[in-house]
Amino acid sequence: MAATPLFRRIDVAPAYQKVADAIEREIINGRIKPGEPIGTEQQLVAQFGVNRSTVREGIRVLEEGGLIRRDSSRRLQACLPRYNKLATRLSRALILHEVTFRELFETSMTLEVASVEGAVERATDENIAELAGNLERSADVVGNPAGLAELDAEFHVLMAKASQNRVLQLAREPAAQLFFPTTEMIVGGVPEGGARLVEAHGHILDAIRRRDKEAGVLWTRRHLQDWRRGFEKIASLDRSVEHTYMEHAYAARQ
Amino acid sequence: MAATPLFRRIDVAPAYQKVADAIEREIINGRIKPGEPIGTEQQLVAQFGVNRSTVREGIRVLEEGGLIRRDSSRRLQACLPRYNKLATRLSRALILHEVTFRELFETSMTLEVASVEGAVERATDENIAELAGNLERSADVVGNPAGLAELDAEFHVLMAKASQNRVLQLAREPAAQLFFPTTEMIVGGVPEGGARLVEAHGHILDAIRRRDKEAGVLWTRRHLQDWRRGFEKIASLDRSVEHTYMEHAYAARQ
DNA sequence: AAATCTAGCTTTGTCGGACAAGCCGATAAG
DNA sequence: CTTATCGGCTTGTCCGACAAAGCTAGATTT
């Protein structure tokens, strides 16, 4: 249709962006493997032929993207982006978009059920041991909402891990980071809330052990419905996740 | 337990990081609203009392995180992070973690089914019109794998949008960005593949129109199972998503 | 000879200053 | 009233410099 273009599209990107892109490309396509050094700033200056300030701006971009990090001696190296850090950025985005708890709940229900299904199918002995360890510790702090909330979040992370599906692990993380901090308020506000939570976890773990998918899904749903009922005693599901949430997201960031 | 600490923990973070954190905090907790200007670099230099190079490094961090952007005249302003951009980073991470197509497929199945359920429940007339428009265009290019693949990806984005659940929209995006680029290969490799795809979309849209959740889920599952069968003719599901994929992720980035 | 220490080199984080290019608003010209 | 020009401001980039912290290798001690 269109005539053969005489000129190639002119590439107008700031130099720091080009530096970042160049390094990124090498990492993504595998020419630089995670853990391998990138070189010193001085070397990059020499290779790219730009000023050190420019290189440093490019480096900051990649660092924030999780593609490179500085080791103990502050030298640059490629690395595998941690889900957790990226998920924090997403959680932040969700806050700014003022998503509602209903959206959060609905999506978490979907993803947690998927997690438990995967866990029932594929959990290893080690996964089960981790979950059992978590459950045991939970039983110890059943009267302590803050401690229990933390262990609840961990239980669900371990469940996602047991599903052996890393895409699922990643997908659930942003919602979970916003969802689970509420657990503390809810467990504290409902009598027998802590006991019900631990009981549900127990049934879920049991279902995973017996490879009983139906039971696993059933108890996971009940567990989340409990959360929902508890939440609705405090606030409307249609309330949006607010800025005050930020602190939780921040505490979890490091 | 611990004695009251005499000193507060000393905060040893590089200055550029502190600059980024300070601005980030103002945005996240809402004191600076999306669209509002941050100020010029010179002003930030004055406010923070650090060098412009330092400020600029901090700005790069936030820019990459999607929290601030530069308007037409390159002045800084806060903004709402675009899902799309963040999702690209996650897709990148998934590639580096060498996730398998099986993981991708399983998670996408979960999320697309959830999308269609939401869409059946809550799609507006406008959503339906958009989907119908997409379907019409799809019918026109049924013999063109590349064009059809693009419209397929769009169809699923529209479906997620129709679910009115932004958390779900966000959660499905990273997997989708890696999942749907394969459609082109698959549609091209299977006779009648294009026709089956358009047929499935038609049934899904019809189900959304009739608010028939069961049919919507059924046809979504079939649609994805078609993808799976097509993929397995070409390669094993246990193959990991490779670096060559990068190009697609890149093309979609801007 | 092995372990330790110390001095020097390297690298990063930060600073100050500089300049070209692009955008903006104001002013001058038609 | 529109157009053209002119400064001023801002950004992107560059240069050079320096303190602090890490690393290296030679010098010193046991």
Side-chain angles (χ1 to χ4, degrees):
Chain A
M1 309 302 165
T4 313
L6 255 170
F7 301 106
R8 184 172 308 197
R9 196 195 167 99
I10 297 178
D11 181 11
V12 285
Y16 71 87
Q17 189 66 54
K18 289 193 188 175
V19 167
D21 286 348
I23 299 175
E24 174 174 340
R25 195 153 22 241
E26 295 302 296
I27 296 176
I28 298 276
N29 68 22
R31 275 195 283 277
I32 300 177
K33 296 212 170 10
E36 285 179 10
I38 309 289
T40 68
E41 293 180 4
Q42 220 35 269
Q43 289 170 325
L44 294 175
V45 166
Q47 289 175 46
F48 288 115
V50 298
N51 192 270
R52 190 157 80 100
S53 305
T54 305
V55 167
R56 281 175 65 82
E57 287 190 36
I59 285 172
R60 292 292 160 255
V61 170
L62 295 177
E63 224 171 12
E64 175 65 9
L67 274 179
I68 69 179
R69 65 190 205 86
R70 315 198 86 116
D71 64 13
S72 64
S73 73
R74 293 199 175 137
R75 277 188 180 66
L76 296 167
Q77 62 177 216
C79 70
L80 253 55
R82 289 298 319 134
Y83 294 157
N84 222 301
K85 190 183 171 202
L86 295 177
T88 303
R89 299 274 167 251
L90 291 192
S91 300
R92 224 175 45 180
L94 291 175
I95 292 174
L96 287 176
H97 281 270
E98 298 182 323
V99 300
T100 65
F101 281 96
R102 185 181 301 281
E103 292 169 278
L104 224 45
F105 174 75
E106 189 180 88
T107 307
S108 290
M109 178 66 95
T110 298
L111 291 168
E112 296 304 321
V113 166
S115 286
V116 81
E117 286 178 339
V120 166
E121 269 183 45
R122 294 183 294 267
T124 65
D125 289 345
E126 194 189 333
N127 294 143
I128 292 175
E130 284 175 338
L131 285 164
N134 174 284
L135 186 59
E136 207 169 306
R137 277 177 290 146
S138 298
D140 291 342
V141 296
V142 72
N144 165 13
L148 197 55
E150 199 174 317
L151 286 169
D152 179 48
E154 186 189 289
F155 185 88
H156 289 267
V157 168
L158 291 175
M159 207 164 76
K161 192 174 153 203
S163 78
Q164 314 288 349
N165 185 327
R166 287 161 294 177
V167 181
L168 182 58
Q169 276 174 261
L170 178 92
R172 69 172 285 284
E173 193 72 29
Q177 281 192 9
L178 296 181
F179 185 77
F180 288 103
T182 56
T183 307
E184 179 176 348
M185 306 175 346
I186 291 170
V187 168
V190 178
E192 296 304 309
R196 283 184 67 91
L197 185 150
V198 174
E199 186 197 353
H201 282 194
H203 282 289
I204 291 170
L205 175 55
D206 194 46
I208 292 174
R209 275 209 181 94
R210 291 184 292 110
R211 308 282 174 195
D212 181 345
K213 193 179 280 190
E214 214 172 312
V217 170
L218 177 71
W219 279 100
T220 300
R221 295 197 106 97
R222 274 194 193 162
H223 180 36
L224 292 192
Q225 291 291 358
D226 267 358
W227 175 91
R228 179 181 171 143
R229 264 194 295 275
F231 187 90
E232 284 183 312
K233 280 188 186 166
I234 303 173
S236 161
L237 274 178
D238 291 312
R239 216 182 64 174
S240 61
V241 178
E242 304 133 10
H243 301 133
T244 49
Y245 246 68
M246 184 194 105
E247 290 133 36
H248 296 101
Y250 264 50
R253 160 153 94 166
Q254 36 194 335
Chain B
M1 310 295 173
T4 313
L6 255 171
F7 300 106
R8 182 173 311 197
R9 195 196 167 101
I10 296 178
D11 183 10
V12 286
Y16 71 86
Q17 188 66 54
K18 289 193 187 172
V19 168
D21 287 347
I23 299 175
E24 174 174 339
R25 195 153 23 241
E26 294 302 295
I27 296 176
I28 299 275
N29 67 22
R31 275 196 284 275
I32 301 178
K33 296 214 170 8
E36 284 179 11
I38 307 291
T40 67
E41 295 179 4
Q42 214 45 260
Q43 289 171 324
L44 294 176
V45 166
Q47 289 176 46
F48 289 114
V50 298
N51 191 269
R52 189 158 79 99
S53 305
T54 305
V55 166
R56 282 176 64 82
E57 287 189 36
I59 285 173
R60 292 292 161 256
V61 170
L62 295 178
E63 224 171 10
E64 175 67 8
L67 274 180
I68 69 179
R69 65 189 204 89
R70 314 197 88 116
D71 64 13
S72 64
S73 74
R74 297 200 171 131
R75 278 188 180 67
L76 296 167
Q77 62 178 216
C79 70
L80 253 55
R82 292 296 319 134
Y83 293 157
N84 220 299
K85 189 181 172 202
L86 295 177
T88 303
R89 295 235 307 265
L90 290 192
S91 301
R92 237 173 31 185
L94 290 176
I95 292 174
L96 288 177
H97 281 271
E98 300 183 322
V99 300
T100 65
F101 280 96
R102 184 181 302 282
E103 291 169 279
L104 224 45
F105 174 76
E106 187 180 89
T107 308
S108 290
M109 177 67 94
T110 298
L111 291 168
E112 295 306 320
V113 166
S115 285
V116 80
E117 285 178 338
V120 166
E121 269 183 45
R122 296 183 293 267
T124 65
D125 290 344
E126 194 189 335
N127 295 143
I128 291 175
E130 284 174 337
L131 285 164
N134 174 283
L135 186 59
E136 207 168 308
R137 278 177 289 144
S138 298
D140 291 341
V141 296
V142 73
N144 165 11
L148 197 55
E150 200 174 317
L151 286 169
D152 179 48
E154 187 189 288
F155 185 89
H156 289 267
V157 167
L158 291 174
M159 206 164 75
K161 192 174 153 203
S163 79
Q164 312 290 348
N165 184 326
R166 288 161 293 177
V167 182
L168 183 57
Q169 277 174 260
L170 178 87
R172 68 170 286 285
E173 192 73 30
Q177 281 192 8
L178 297 180
F179 185 77
F180 287 104
T182 56
T183 308
E184 180 178 347
M185 305 176 346
I186 291 170
V187 168
V190 179
E192 296 304 310
R196 282 183 70 91
L197 185 149
V198 174
E199 187 197 352
H201 283 194
H203 282 289
I204 292 170
L205 174 55
D206 193 48
I208 293 174
R209 275 209 180 95
R210 292 184 290 111
R211 308 283 173 195
D212 181 345
K213 193 179 281 190
E214 214 171 313
V217 170
L218 177 71
W219 280 99
T220 301
R221 297 198 104 96
R222 276 194 193 162
H223 181 35
L224 292 192
Q225 290 292 357
D226 267 358
W227 175 90
R228 179 179 172 145
R229 264 194 296 277
F231 187 88
E232 285 183 311
K233 280 188 187 166
I234 302 173
S236 161
L237 273 178
D238 290 312
R239 216 181 65 174
S240 60
V241 178
E242 307 133 8
H243 303 131
T244 50
Y245 245 66
M246 183 193 105
E247 288 132 36
H248 295 101
Y250 263 51
R253 158 153 98 167
Q254 33 193 337

